[in-house]
Amino acid sequence: MIAGENSMIWNERYECMSRDEMKEVQGERLREMIERVYYNVPFYRKKMQDLGIEPSDVRGIDDLDKLPFTTKQDLRDNYPFGLFAVPKSEVVRVHASSGTTGDPTVVGYTRKDIGTWSEVVARTLSACGVSRDDVIQVAYGYGLFTGGLGVHYGSERIGATVVPISGGNTKKQIKLLKDFETTVLACTPSYSLYISEVLEEMNIDPKDLPLRVGIFGAEPWTNSMRKEIEEKLKIKAFDIYGLSEIIGPGVACECEHQTGLHIIEDHFIPEVVDKDTLKPLGYEENGELVFTTVTKEALPLIRYRTKDLTILHPDKCSCGRTSVRMDKVTGRTDDMLIIRGVNIFPSQIESILLEMGETKPHYMLIVDRINNLDTLEVWIEINEEYFSDEIKKLQSLSMKIKHTIESTLGVSVKVKLVEPKTIQRSEGKAQRVIDKRKK
Ligand code: DLL
């Protein structure tokens, strides 16, 4: 069976309503949300008061641009629960961005939010042709990362059989792909390529596996990578997009036509703004994607700046859905790196190095993709007095740095200590990252 053949529309009422009806639904939900946020989140009340806006000034989505933006920094400044709009007793789950040196970004869900999340993921999976007849192997990480549990609950909602294996342990993944007759694989696109390589090493022909669909996201990937994955694994590969702050996976996803990702607009209102002036841009214009969540209870966010760059398209898709579609994310407006699905800012590594004292603040991050796995190498200049030390001491320093970075960021690194003054100095903005994956 090919993907798409049995695809269905999970929630036809909301996924296929006319643009006018959608605008009505969004407006009504927005008004209700702004009211709730104004009275329950002091941070937003102050922001709105500073702008001279009251909840009654927001009558519909045409008033969105009166409202203030929210950034990741706002979440960090209000760590851990400062932006929550409900008492903690109503929060049934939290997730958080992977370890940072400062405070991680924490997101929370009420019981109703978990239901909403399952619903939106169910819609996205259905759009990829996944149904109750499928066995879905969830190889996104389970834990504080939203990938594993997010896809898990949505899969259960549609009644598919879930294999909650989490990431890694590739030989076991392959054994279960075979033994459990997995038909859908959900993981990062780069991990799927790695799985294909291990399959080859094990002399297993993917044609002999019942696998037919891949649900890939959490990191940027290109259409040429899609082609490679589809050829190597003999499946149809779909792009799923999301971010923890908005809900996790399930914010948008492709359908069988793969002409952009359908945004679940009755829950998340999208806008694209100019990344510098923050002025709203029209459809078909490239800019920073911004979302307003209109149904979330625990952590409703107003105009959250994703820092992801994309273009929005409003025309109806041949699949019947009327939702606005976004292009594949083409880049970010900041320097966040996604390494094996883990989000990392170079500044996090910098502060670890500075805190250690034995190194100079001159470093380079070399990111590559070797055998389809992302690698991160950190080159660091060490202080003169350490450089003359015996090899053993240097090795132990290198191990200490490696361990500290790995335990803080949750991603493995290779550390290379270099002589003082060997890393190129820059007269302007220092170039700290060489990302060889971007070819
Ligand atoms: O990555 C949620 C997710 C899990 C999405 C599983 C899809 C599948 P965060 O860890 O908060 O959440 O990272 C969010 O990852 O702002 C994008 O920069 C990037 N990203 C996520 N999906 C895609 C995608 C999850 N399909 C950040 N294409 C986002 C490109 C993506 N980038």
Side-chain angles (χ1 to χ4, degrees), residues 69-86:
F69 287 100
T70 312
T71 62
K72 207 180 195 55
Q73 193 56 44
D74 292 328
L75 277 128
R76 292 208 174 115
D77 292 346
N78 290 282
Y79 174 84
F81 307 135
L83 294 189
F84 285 12
V86 294

Side-chain angles (χ1 to χ4, degrees), residues 140 145-147 217-220 239-244 308 332 338 343:
Y140 286 114
F145 176 54
T146 53
E219 65 185 11
D239 193 359
I240 182 169
Y241 169 87
L243 60 163
S244 334
D308 291 320
R332 289 187 55 90
I338 305 184
N343 304 348

